[in-house]
Amino acid sequence: MAYTIEGSTGPWEVVVGLEVHAQVISQSKLFSGAATAYGASPNSQVSFVDAAFPGMLPVPNREAIAQAVRTGLGLNAKINLMSRFDRKNYFYADLPQGYQISQFEHPIVGTGVVEIELSDGSTKEVGITRLHLEQDAGKSLHDQHPTKSFIDLNRSGVALMEIVSEPDIRSPEEAGAYIKKLRSILRYLGTCDGNMEEGSLRADVNVSVRKAGEAYRTRCEVKNVNSVRFVMQAVEVEALRQIAVWEGGGEVQQETRLFDPNRGETRSMRSKEDAHDYRYFPDPDLLPVVLEQGWVDGLWAALPELPDAKQARFMAEYGLSRYDAGVLVAEQATALFFESVAKGRDAKIAANWVTGDFFAAMNRTGRTIEDPPVSAAALGQLLDLMADSTINGKIAKEVFEAMVETGKGPAAIVDERVLRQVTDTGAIDAAVDAVIAANPEKVAEYRSGKDKLFGFFVGNVMKAMAGKGNPALVNAALKAKLG
Ligand code: MN
């Protein structure tokens, strides 16, 4: 069912395109050798190029260009062997050049596609229009002094990839799924850390609404949204605002807006410029970027296995459901963790433990997959203890919790707490006899056909054995004795 918003005039369709600015992982800036580390003291990572001293010349960073190409390849996109840097002219206090070096007419990456998965299990392709390289601007600090603003140029000149999608997105959920998938691909590729809190990944959300079958109506751009949740909220509240404007007899004006997460609304920032307002022209300081196909092929050959391919492999190789495989491949480190637990073991049981008890423990303890509450090796050992019938599944959960608490291995916990499963049929028979003797009425009911009572007997025998009975042997003994 297509997502629509019900207005007073009936249902409205939501049309969304995203422009994502992704900071390139690179030691130095796009056109200078200054460092790019996050959190450095203000203006400590600024070269003369970044501060736009007269006569300084930009020199393209080969690694930043390689990162953009890797990203294009990861987005199944066309790599343009010839691209060009242009000047985008505008005045801003934290942009000392008076222009941003960007790519306008000839971006380094052309059309591509990202596949997203939705909660109903369906998939959808979102088109990529282009990816271009550009410089980031500096940062104005307005909260350091009562009457002055300060400027930090550390970010000035840092390489950004602007990844523009087609207006293929039709709901808040799709917008969220798209940005999550994009972030996952960038992290796998190692081209952007995807850290939205630190501003390494920010989205400009273009929203319009229309009636089914109509051409696109005027859109508004919600700038610099910095979390997946906020992107989804921005889509929804901006669509609601526009519907109210149209239904009130007004007309939506093309403009740039800001999302205020505290008030859950968007606010007008400025009327939207058109491309011609920026007076783009080729940067005379820079030659066109010309790539050799062989170099691009080399980058392609060195790409890691990406989430879609890994998901397909997990389904084929381990027999996992599409959903479980998707959860496990979202982060590369999680996929690695799972594979080392699953290796040589029952993969479905491994997947259940990783996505179940292990994820829950990670959430509860606030640990991460890089610093997990239980190592992959230890979790694997726990599964082995179940597989060889040393412990049963119920006791395994108890052992797992003790592993999280104490950091000890499963075998040590089983020994210390005497949790080894009881397979001694003498002990099992004795427990079964005792339970039967203590419940003559239930036995009579069971024998007269109340089969459901079997679970009652199993539960009581297990209780008598402190949960350690081998379930198969307990069942067999009960069946035999209840006759
Ligand atoms: Mn941009």
Side-chain angles (χ1 to χ4, degrees):
M1 259 286 280
Y3 173 92
T4 53
I5 295 178
E6 201 61 30
S8 58
T9 59
W12 291 83
E13 193 175 281
V14 181
V15 178
V16 180
L18 272 88
E19 296 170 19
V20 170
H21 285 91
Q23 183 176 328
V24 173
I25 293 177
S26 150
Q27 296 297 315
S28 54
K29 296 183 179 179
L30 184 52
F31 298 114
S32 84
T36 58
Y38 178 78
S41 59
N43 297 307
S44 62
Q45 299 179 154
V46 186
S47 77
F48 290 128
V49 174
D50 311 319
F53 275 42
M56 292 298 116
L57 284 174
V59 178
N61 173 346
R62 188 185 174 91
E63 178 58 15
I65 288 169
Q67 292 286 57
V69 171
R70 284 186 192 106
T71 305
L73 294 169
L75 300 176
N76 310 297
K78 181 176 182 297
I79 306 302
N80 293 324
L81 295 181
M82 201 290 292
S83 65
R84 198 180 69 195
F85 285 108
D86 300 298
R87 288 188 180 179
K88 182 181 185 181
N89 298 281
Y90 60 99
F91 173 81
Y92 216 77
D94 52 25
L95 184 77
Q97 284 172 156
Y99 57 86
Q100 176 189 31
I101 305 178
S102 181
Q103 296 189 305
F104 181 57
E105 269 178 84
H106 300 285
I108 190 161
V109 175
T111 56
V113 65
V114 168
E115 190 181 88
I116 58 171
E117 201 170 317
L118 302 167
S119 59
D120 65 0
S122 65
T123 59
K124 167 172 179 158
E125 291 191 340
V126 175
I128 299 292
T129 314
R130 58 186 277 157
L131 175 157
H132 65 254
L133 275 167
E134 62 185 26
Q135 301 173 297
D136 205 348
K139 195 171 149 194
S140 301
L141 308 168
H142 303 295
D143 53 1
Q144 309 283 312
H145 189 279
T147 57
K148 292 176 181 165
S149 283
F150 294 150
I151 295 195
D152 175 8
L153 292 179
N154 280 352
R155 228 169 58 186
S156 169
V158 163
L160 300 178
M161 299 178 284
E162 180 171 332
I163 303 165
V164 183
S165 88
E166 292 290 309
D168 290 342
I169 294 163
R170 290 289 176 275
S171 69
E173 187 201 355
E174 288 182 16
Y178 171 77
I179 195 135
K180 276 195 246 176
K181 185 62 177 285
L182 187 61
R183 185 173 60 180
S184 170
I185 293 169
L186 295 171
R187 283 182 173 162
Y188 265 76
L189 290 165
T191 58
C192 170
D193 65 25
N195 193 328
M196 297 186 85
E197 292 99 70
E198 292 179 3
S200 312
L201 193 75
R202 17 193 227 269
D204 299 341
V205 187
N206 287 285
V207 181
S208 65
V209 295
R210 66 176 177 185
K211 293 288 187 174
E214 274 185 359
Y216 295 138
R217 296 195 185 197
T218 307
R219 67 187 160 92
C220 290
E221 180 179 6
V222 186
K223 270 291 200 201
N224 277 334
V225 186
N226 66 354
S227 85
V228 174
R229 196 162 52 91
F230 291 165
V231 166
M232 295 170 72
Q233 284 175 4
V235 169
E236 190 176 0
V237 299
E238 177 57 15
L240 286 168
R241 184 192 71 84
Q242 292 182 16
I243 290 167
V245 170
W246 291 119
E247 292 190 335
E251 208 168 297
V252 169
Q253 301 299 317
Q254 183 175 337
E255 62 184 352
T256 302
R257 301 181 66 87
L258 270 184
F259 176 62
D260 180 341
N262 297 320
R263 307 175 65 159
E265 61 181 31
T266 67
R267 274 200 301 276
S268 183
M269 196 175 150
R270 55 173 189 254
S271 66
K272 174 71 185 173
E273 313 77 4
D274 282 315
H276 59 76
D277 295 325
Y278 289 112
R279 310 270 169 185
Y280 280 100
F281 66 89
D283 192 309
D285 289 340
L286 290 157
L287 288 168
V289 180
V290 178
L291 308 178
E292 282 168 22
Q293 187 61 50
W295 184 73
V296 174
D297 293 344
L299 294 177
W300 168 254
L303 290 186
E305 184 182 40
L306 292 173
D308 287 344
K310 208 183 273 292
Q311 183 177 23
R313 182 168 65 77
F314 278 16
M315 291 163 69
E317 199 173 313
Y318 301 121
L320 301 185
S321 69
R322 190 176 173 83
Y323 178 81
D324 281 347
V327 170
L328 290 168
V329 305
E331 295 284 345
Q332 205 166 19
T334 309
L336 260 171
F337 185 96
F338 162 72
E339 286 209 277
S340 85
V341 176
K343 199 172 180 212
R345 303 192 175 94
D346 184 315
K348 280 189 185 169
I349 293 178
N352 286 341
W353 273 84
V354 171
T355 58
D357 295 75
F358 174 76
F359 276 9
M362 205 156 60
N363 287 338
R364 201 175 59 238
T365 57
R367 305 276 288 266
T368 62
I369 191 75
E370 288 79 16
D371 174 31
V374 164
S375 73
L379 180 53
Q381 288 159 12
L382 178 66
L383 302 197
D384 291 342
L385 292 177
M386 270 187 287
D388 70 10
S389 298
T390 303
I391 54 174
N392 62 38
K394 202 162 174 234
I395 292 290
K397 296 203 178 260
E398 186 184 330
V399 174
F400 179 80
E401 292 312 319
M403 290 163 71
V404 173
E405 247 172 64
T406 64
K408 288 182 186 166
I413 291 165
V414 168
D415 284 343
E416 263 172 34
R417 307 194 179 190
V418 203
L419 296 171
R420 197 168 287 272
Q421 179 165 251
V422 177
T423 51
D424 167 12
T425 48
I428 292 172
D429 283 346
V432 167
D433 288 341
V435 168
I436 287 177
N439 296 282
E441 285 162 27
K442 293 275 200 274
V443 173
E445 280 178 58
Y446 177 80
R447 287 187 174 142
S448 70
K450 215 171 165 192
D451 292 346
K452 277 188 195 154
L453 276 175
F454 193 72
F456 164 82
F457 292 109
V458 172
N460 277 280
V461 172
M462 280 303 214
K463 205 163 146 194
M465 302 186 70
K468 291 182 286 187
N470 175 300
L473 294 176
V474 168
N475 281 8
L478 270 168
K479 283 224 165 90
K481 289 183 188 271
L482 287 168

